[in-house]
Amino acid sequence: YFLSAVLFLMIFVGKAQNAPVNRGLESLTPEFIQAQLEFLSSDWLEGREAGERGGYMAGDYIRSLFKMSGTKPFGDPDVFTPNRYQKLLGAKENHFTSYFEPFFVTEIKPSTNHQLWIKYNDNDRTISYNCQTDFAVVPLETSISLNAPVVFVGYGLTDKSSGYDDFAGIQVKGKIIVRLAGFPGQHDTTSVAWQNFKKLDKSTLIEKKNELAQKLGAVAILEFDPSVLSKKLAANVPFRFNEAMYEGDSRPESFYDRRMVLPGMKKNQIPLISVSEKVFNEFLSPSGLSYAKFEGTAAQLKQNSFDLKKINAGFNLTANTRALQLRNVLGIIEGEKPDEFIVVGGHYDHLGKHNGFIWNGADDNGSGAIAVTSIAKAFNETGMKPKRSIIFACWDGEERGELGSSYFVDHFNKIGQVKAYLNFDMIGRNSGPDAPNNQVALLYSKSAEYLADLTREQLKQANINLNINYSPMENPAGGSDNTAFALKNVPMFWYHTGGHTDYHQASDHAELINWAKMTDIIKLSFLSVWKLSNE
């Protein structure tokens, strides 16, 4: 009898402990998740572009979801100030914590109001060039006027392994550099240079070259890229635009025509001006060189950088900007240890509305935002206070460069007490028509293997039907809002179901979501966060 009583008590206690978790799990149904995402990715929200009407509507909707679930606000302090009529009715000023964390960005749009010229010092001759005919300018945050000496630096590349250095013996501080895009030997696979440079990371090459030029003190970059510039400058190509989302005689508006930066995000960025072959050859003509001649010698790893002593160059570049306010939506479930945190986040912005088409962004990243609101609801359903506090964050401005998450980590004064960050970005689709319906990747900090172990444990115990590809990352920065946390050394993990043909297309609709898989990912994530916040 005694042993039976002990066994009964153990079963009773075990069920009592599991009851809160089960209540949370039971709230995560496909219907509940679908109902939220169908509205968040509907046409009414106009693609949720950061800073636009649809983005603000989406933020208000997410705030309502947090509020309905009982998740407390964790945004900035706010105040309600009654007007004169409201005061007569007895309303008083009310200070409260908002669900919103507003932040300002600078939106940068293209401009054609630029001037570029070359001045010959020996005869006082000046040649002026036309924007969008002879040159194009990468949009700037501030307007700049400059007149400076010029130096030709080949490809503007330094490679210690081969001993190649376009800056050897050349002083570029305070000067405008003229360079070619790419690397030596890029058009000749039989050349010596190609064998040296073929393994270069082409995706980051221009960024690294720009950083090197700036580090050495150059004040501007004039670059010739024959494969790109003709497409930028030719006024008659194509004669008619015929694209998947647009057909017409004039160039269509695009999400990528503008960018956004946080204040101080890129300090002392030097101007980058793309020039035509005509302008490029004008710089080289005093030396007897041309683009074709130089490219041939560089392919044999022969450097030919030199000062253009007889030439100065100058420009007036005009910025086309405006200030915008974006908003993170933040909620919190306070824990017994109020100064230890787990952050659960995903961005809610997408590409917006252009040329009459709406980029609904059901998978990217309506799926991630709804995962955040759903897990918050599940935690509230347990009726239990976790040991650690859990911050639920829907970020704004991710599509413009992880702006919302970057702002948060830079302004949250307890970022050092964040124990883990769980990121959601695209968890609702299959990576292809032949991919298994239950396949998902788990990307996580290699230094925090316990995050993968925790996932394996919960996957087995809850008998969740997911086939997980575990992908540890040595440097878990890049790709999404995990970047901001990784740069602060916060262990992170990110469930991701992969790319697909509707990625960044107007066809990313809720009807294509794999609801069963998305629900299972959210359930597994809830269980993982439950463990992280309580053990």
Side-chain angles (χ1 to χ4, degrees), residues 69-82:
S69 72
T71 306
K72 293 182 179 179
F74 195 64
D76 283 3
D78 206 344
V79 58
F80 165 72
T81 303

Side-chain angles (χ1 to χ4, degrees), residues 21-43:
V21 180
N22 290 336
R23 284 198 298 270
L25 277 176
E26 287 166 5
S27 73
L28 296 173
T29 65
E31 294 78 15
F32 170 66
I33 290 163
Q34 184 174 354
Q36 296 175 86
L37 181 52
E38 283 180 338
F39 180 73
L40 189 64
S41 61
S42 70
D43 285 354

Side-chain angles (χ1 to χ4, degrees), residues 60 268 333 401:
D60 284 354
N268 303 319
I333 295 177

Side-chain angles (χ1 to χ4, degrees), residues 269-327:
Q269 186 181 13
I270 61 177
L272 175 60
I273 303 172
S274 298
V275 297
S276 66
E277 187 171 0
K278 179 177 76 173
V279 178
F280 182 74
N281 284 333
E282 187 69 37
F283 281 111
L284 296 189
S285 59
S287 67
L289 272 179
S290 66
Y291 158 60
K293 285 182 180 178
F294 175 78
E295 191 179 48
T297 59
Q300 305 308 313
L301 286 181
K302 294 179 181 178
Q303 297 142 255
N304 200 350
S305 301
F306 51 86
D307 268 304
L308 298 167
K309 296 180 180 178
K310 295 183 179 180
I311 294 177
N312 270 28
F315 51 74
N316 290 320
L317 306 181
T318 303
N320 181 11
T321 63
R322 62 174 180 161
L324 294 177
Q325 180 178 278
L326 309 188
R327 305 182 302 175

Side-chain angles (χ1 to χ4, degrees), residues 202-223:
K202 313 303 187 299
S203 64
T204 61
L205 181 60
I206 188 169
E207 184 179 342
K208 289 179 178 178
K209 287 168 66 171
N210 292 349
E211 288 175 358
L212 178 60
Q214 187 165 336
K215 181 180 177 182
L216 295 173
V219 293
I221 301 167
L222 305 182
E223 181 177 81

